[in-house]
Amino acid sequence: MPHMHVSAIVLAAGVGRRIGGDLAKTYLPIAGRALVLRTLDRMFAAKTVQQVILVVAADEMDRCEALLSADSLLCNRPYLLQSGGATRQQSAKRGLERIALETDVVIIHDGARPFVSAGLIDRCVESAAEKGAVVVGLPVRDTIKVVGDDRLIHSTPARRSLWEIQTPQAFQKDLIVAAHQRAEKDGVEVTDDAMVVERLGKPVYVLEGERTNLKITLPEDIWLAEMMIRDGRVP
């Protein structure tokens, strides 16, 4: 797709205070640099991305604007701030409302994944331009059990067919916009953007991702992320 325009939506509206005390996870320092800044660094390092929409909690807009404006690496980059919704799905839809009209491909990424490589972002975009919808993931390494509320094992799915799905997830613009509109109309809540496309009966392809594409969720993830940086294990 020649002269393709790509908009990236970075979702950072989740509070995530369970690991940061009074500080929202978005602003936690990872080896001295705020988590959200490290994630934005990766988005802007991708060759295919022209625009980044950062979706943050409504009551964090001013704080985030101040953080970005004061950052010498990002202050002149083409980003937009958008207030998020009550759920991840609502935040993604609000991000879609801000993408450029000329956008061909939308890439959606968790703000809590600061180590995604620029190469993986670009591969997602290129694949989505061809196939329509692409996510990244990894084959599961552990045995997965389906367990009931009573803590009894109900079944053990075949491991060869199970993948842990990460972000980024990339989509042709018209497809992801229509899919989110349909999900909202139907009153359906999902936990990732591929699910709204799956609901339309459209194919979603999986690219093998990166083990280093860590999601910062628990306190020990901060320790691991800083160790990865110190040991030069970040792509």
Side-chain angles (χ1 to χ4, degrees):
M1 186 182 292
H3 307 298
M4 180 170 56
H5 188 282
V6 177
S7 294
I9 297 171
V10 175
L11 300 175
V15 176
R17 296 192 193 279
R18 59 181 157 163
I19 65 170
D22 292 334
L23 187 65
K25 181 170 66 175
T26 304
Y27 308 102
L28 284 175
I30 307 292
R33 186 161 176 77
L35 171 59
V36 69
L37 298 183
R38 288 193 175 276
T39 304
L40 291 175
D41 290 340
R42 295 310 179 105
M43 286 292 123
F44 285 118
K47 296 176 182 177
T48 51
V49 174
Q50 282 82 44
Q51 176 196 40
V52 174
I53 296 99
L54 175 62
V55 183
V56 299
D59 60 358
E60 297 281 357
M61 290 278 284
D62 291 343
R63 179 180 190 159
C64 198
E65 180 65 63
L67 179 70
L68 288 165
S69 298
D71 189 79
S72 60
L73 296 178
L74 296 174
C75 61
N76 295 316
R77 293 288 197 165
Y79 69 84
L80 294 172
L81 280 180
Q82 170 71 317
S83 60
T87 65
R88 184 191 188 283
Q89 181 179 334
Q90 291 172 17
S91 292
K93 189 171 185 299
R94 288 192 180 183
L96 287 168
E97 292 168 1
R98 296 295 301 277
I99 61 176
L101 289 175
E102 66 269 28
T103 298
D104 299 299
V105 170
V106 179
I107 189 157
I108 302 176
H109 186 60
D110 291 331
R113 291 188 185 271
F115 296 153
V116 61
S117 72
L120 182 58
I121 295 167
D122 290 335
R123 284 195 290 121
C124 281
V125 167
E126 290 159 6
S127 186
E130 176 188 350
K131 298 177 181 296
V134 173
V135 302
V136 302
L138 295 167
V140 300
R141 295 187 290 185
D142 297 322
T143 297
I144 305 298
K145 304 284 187 181
V146 178
V147 180
D149 292 338
D150 54 4
R151 296 296 178 92
L152 287 175
I153 293 172
H154 289 193
S155 62
T156 305
R159 191 167 60 183
R160 65 180 177 275
S161 65
L162 298 175
W163 288 62
E164 301 172 29
I165 299 304
Q166 306 175 331
T167 67
Q169 301 186 358
F171 311 90
Q172 291 175 7
K173 179 189 73 173
D174 291 345
L175 175 59
I176 191 62
V177 169
H180 267 284
Q181 289 174 342
R182 178 63 179 271
E184 183 180 51
K185 179 182 177 182
D186 293 348
V188 173
E189 283 291 334
V190 300
T191 55
D192 82 341
D193 299 282
M195 291 172 70
V196 296
V197 174
E198 293 166 37
R199 289 188 70 252
L200 293 183
K202 302 295 184 181
V204 180
Y205 295 86
V206 180
L207 288 179
E208 185 152 355
E210 300 163 336
R211 293 281 170 197
T212 49
N213 187 14
L214 175 72
K215 186 174 183 180
I216 306 297
T217 305
L218 301 170
E220 52 265 37
D221 297 330
I222 300 284
W223 170 81
L224 179 58
E226 292 185 333
M227 185 174 68
M228 289 168 62
I229 292 170
R230 186 185 67 232
D231 293 350
R233 296 182 181 276
V234 177

